[in-house]
Structures are given as structure tokens and as C-alpha cells.
Amino acid sequence: MQNYVETIGHFAETHATILTATFITGAGILALRKWLAGGVCWSKVRLDGKTVLITGANTGIGKETALDMAKRGARVILACRDMTRARMAADEIRQQSGNGNVVVKKLDLASLQSVRDLAKDVQANEDRLDILINNAGIMMCPKWKTEDGFEMQFGVNHLGHFLLTNCLLDLMKKSTPSRIVIVSSLAHEKGSIHFDDINLDKDYSRHDSYRQSKLANVLFCRELASRLKDTGVTVYSLHPGVIRTELGRHLFPTLALWQRMILKPFLMLIKSPSAGAQTSIYCAVDESQANCSGLYYSDCAPKKPAPQALDDAAAKKLWDLSASMVGLA
């Protein structure tokens, strides 16, 4: 035993520089990961007797958000396109939360008819809707079109949620105080609304399309909050962070090999889905934000969005255009 201790001591002495560098590097990586994980929602509020609907809740931050809501005692509706994966996610959430009141409903945001069908189902079968979390999204896909002929990213990320939210507003007003949470992105900062070419038919760029749709989310939040003033329904938009989820499945394969090789090590440092869900959860339940509406959040705190996201005239113009596109005008 003494020889073993002496050997270890000798190794430490002769490799002190390397061991010190390794320790500092490891501590630095851990500190960086903790910093990148961002804010945490510490609220312990219960949601017994409340109903929460989350779009795209079968994977990623949507699933983690649903798990948190279920642990708080809510009735949780997973509104998803892939019913097989949604049922599997619901089973996992029931087991992990101990809450059997987790249900699955069909929703394809690329189909306005599917949106209307879900809204009709909820209106007919749910007594209340306390929290709506518009979480589902698509990122950097090729130039695809929705069932109704709209550019896919704008159609799914904005128009589908715009229609769903408007269709469920009456039920949410009956359930006040209630909250609407819209998952946007930091990408909105480089976005602009192409009012003269909303589907980007003239010059499609997957990046411009995504940025437009995320800016639309923030503008939608701003205008909706204005329209819902004094109703008891509050609205929040947010940036969840850069997260290890399936959202980037259309982007990663398009990168050059050298870009993927450089990017891959950094994927270990970015947020987990659980960490990425924290701001959504914060906006949905935190008591301190009960009287706030129309704000933009990141890392569980209000943040100032890009200047173009504060343009009230653009927000109203986008609302009118969106209403016309989905048949609400």
C-alpha cells in the first residue's frame, strides 16, 4: 500500500503541470456548460385542476415542458403530428410524473384543416384551457410548402399557431387567469417580414425564412398582448437557447464535412432539452410574471428583443395579413 501511495505521489510530482492544466481545463468546461445552460425556473407552483396544451410535445423541449407541467399536477394535452411518437412520449411522461392525466391529440401545423379540427376537439371536450404553449417548429428546411400552399417555415412556425391560438381564445378567456407562451428564437434579431413576398417565392433562403418566422412569433406576441389587454389572458414570447434537439435535422446534413467536424465537439456544450425548456416553463407558471404580457424572454428573464420586433405598425400589419391567409379576416 505504501509503495502504491509513493508511486501516485511521484507521478503527481513529475506531471504537476499536465495535471494542473487538465484540472483547470475540466473545471473550465464544467463552468462553461453551467453558464450555457442558462436560467432555471424555481417556481414550485402547482397546476392541479388546470389544463395545459403544448404543441410538438413528443420530443425536445416540448416533451420536457410537458413533463414539468404533468409533475405539477396539470392535465396535459400533447398536440402532435406523429401520433405514434406522441403516444410513446405520453406513456413516458405518465410514468415519470405519476400523473395519468396526459392525453394525445392530433395536430399537423402544416394543415389549417388539422388546426381547426384540433381546436374544435378541444372546444368540445375540454372544460378549460389555462396554458397554451406554442412550441412546435421546423428549422432550415428546403423550400417546402404546407398543405395550403404557404412556405413551410412561416406556415408551421407562425400561421399554424396564429390560427390555433385565435381558435382557442374564447376558451382561454373563460379560464382566466390564463397564459399563452410562444417559443421564438434569437434568430428573430436578423429577421425581417417580407410583406411583398411573404412566401419568399422570388428568392428563397432557408435562413431568411426561419428568421422571418421567428420574428413573426415575437410580433404576434406583441400584437396579441395588446388585443388581450385586461382580459386576464397574458402572452409571452421567448428564446429557449441553443439546444441539443431534433430541430436542426434539416441543417446539419447541409453543412460541409469540415464544418460538421468543427461543430460536433461544441454540441456537447450546448443546452440539454431540460435546460432549454426552463424559459418556457418560467413563462407558463412563474408567479412574478402573472401581470406581465407582450414581453420577450431568455434565460428565465425579460430581455429586449430586436428593434424590428418592437414595431407596432408591423405587428398589426402582420396580424391583418396572417388573418387573411388563414381565413379569419
Side-chain angles (χ1 to χ4, degrees), residues 46-57:
R46 295 288 303 174
L47 296 175
D48 303 281
K50 308 281 188 181
T51 299
V52 182
L53 189 152
I54 307 171
T55 68

Side-chain angles (χ1 to χ4, degrees), residues 3 47 84 110 116 159 198 229 237 270 293 302 316:
N3 290 338
L47 296 175
T84 299
R116 292 189 182 95
L159 288 179
I198 201 69
K229 186 177 180 181
S237 66
I270 62 180
S293 190
K316 185 179 186 307

Side-chain angles (χ1 to χ4, degrees), residues 188-207:
H188 86 274
E189 293 188 352
K190 294 185 177 181
S192 60
I193 306 298
H194 301 261
F195 286 109
D196 295 330
D197 184 25
I198 201 69
N199 291 305
L200 300 181
D201 292 322
K202 296 176 184 177
D203 184 20
Y204 180 78
S205 159
R206 65 179 70 204
H207 294 86

